[in-house]
Amino acid sequence: LALKNSMGGKCSRCPYKEEVRILHFHHLRDKKFNIGAYKLYSLDALIEEAKKCILLCPNCHALEHLHV
């Protein structure tokens, strides 16, 4: 939750900001691991991986993958 808040706490594509917990990390490049597996990695590794991501609400995330 703190990592999502540090990244703005809202969707990067639409105005959604109601519930930070449902936002998804969407990788833009060089994905090494899924941030959802956060218990397996150090905080430093998570921060570095998050730098490669944007936050998207579930709807925008689904649409992003439809366009790929």
Side-chain angles (χ1 to χ4, degrees):
L1 193 57
L3 191 51
K4 289 179 182 180
N5 282 324
S6 74
M7 295 176 67
K10 62 186 182 78
C11 181
S12 296
R13 300 273 193 251
C14 77
Y16 184 84
K17 61 181 180 179
E18 299 304 312
E19 180 51 72
V20 176
R21 292 177 294 179
I22 71 165
L23 296 174
H24 299 177
F25 289 95
H26 175 71
H27 279 82
L28 298 174
R29 63 184 179 359
D30 308 326
K31 181 177 181 177
K32 289 188 178 177
F33 61 87
N34 185 344
I35 294 178
Y38 64 90
K39 292 182 180 180
L40 302 174
Y41 300 94
S42 69
L43 179 57
D44 289 339
L46 289 169
I47 291 169
E48 287 305 307
E49 198 65 18
K51 289 178 182 177
K52 305 175 202 175
C53 300
I54 58 173
L55 290 177
L56 296 175
C57 69
N59 286 337
C60 288
H61 198 200
L63 289 169
E64 183 68 27
H65 283 280
L66 285 175
H67 294 123
V68 172

